[in-house]
Amino acid sequence: MSDQKTLSLIKPDAVERNLVGKIIDIFETNGIVIEKIKKVHVSNEFAKKFYDVHKDKPFFKELCSYLSSGPIIAMVLKGENVIKKNRDLMGATNPKDAKEGTIRQKFAISIDKNSVHGSDSEENASKEISLFFS
Ligand code: CMP
């Protein structure tokens, strides 16, 4: 399989607790290449665009306020099968369900403050990368 790309975000709760290096170390230790990286503080409008797929969910408003509440790290990760690999390393959305050793099991506070985001498909990866890096 050829290299894939995916968007990874380190969310405000993890940036605030100085966990950026520890999270990037997990990616690099697992053979993932950080192709692009930047620190940004997105607006609520931008967050709404980013999370558009969740616009009908009851938690949409809080989700967007949270993503825009402080600086985040946006990255393009590159590697073989990196979309799945990243999601395996992140662990389940709710840290209570995340497997031992995953990023969310180690660092996440709650389902909202769950430290990282990762694209879930090639189609969404491509959309999310263009939104952050165009
Ligand atoms: P993320 O991978 O960034 O994608 C959408 C986010 O919605 C998810 O992580 C969670 O942080 C957040 N979220 C809040 N409540 C829920 C919920 N009940 N189910 C799924 N995701 C939720």
Side-chain angles (χ1 to χ4, degrees):
M1 195 191 199
S2 56
D3 273 356
Q4 256 183 352
K5 288 181 188 179
T6 193
L7 183 87
S8 166
L9 299 181
I10 303 180
K11 296 187 184 182
D13 68 273
V15 173
E16 192 178 82
R17 288 177 291 146
N18 274 351
L19 294 170
V20 173
K22 287 197 171 80
I23 292 173
I24 290 177
D25 184 48
I26 293 172
F27 294 143
E28 293 193 324
T29 302
N30 284 278
I32 292 174
V33 171
I34 314 296
E35 202 197 39
K36 292 183 184 175
I37 181 165
K38 66 179 179 184
K39 189 175 194 178
V40 274
H41 190 157
V42 301
S43 67
N44 196 256
E45 281 315 299
F46 183 97
K48 283 183 186 163
K49 230 186 260 179
F50 179 72
Y51 278 132
D52 188 60
V53 287
H54 297 297
K55 63 175 183 293
D56 298 323
K57 306 265 171 67
F59 53 86
F60 182 65
K61 196 167 170 232
E62 287 71 29
L63 179 61
C64 297
S65 319
Y66 175 59
L67 193 74
S68 55
S69 67
I72 60 174
I73 304 295
M75 290 171 282
V76 175
L77 307 184
K78 195 173 101 174
E80 200 174 302
N81 206 16
V82 75
I83 296 175
K84 182 176 186 303
K85 202 167 181 181
N86 178 39
R87 289 180 67 85
D88 288 347
L89 291 171
M90 289 193 307
T93 307
N94 189 339
K96 284 182 189 155
D97 304 325
K99 280 191 197 144
E100 189 70 28
T102 59
I103 295 171
R104 284 167 169 161
Q105 181 270 323
K106 282 184 172 171
F107 304 128
I109 296 169
S110 64
I111 193 164
D112 305 293
K113 297 184 175 178
N114 65 355
S115 303
V116 280
H117 167 87
S119 313
D120 63 1
S121 64
E122 288 205 38
E123 190 191 344
N124 285 336
S126 160
K127 279 188 199 158
E128 293 178 359
I129 290 170
S130 329
L131 204 53
F132 273 94
F133 294 93
S134 56

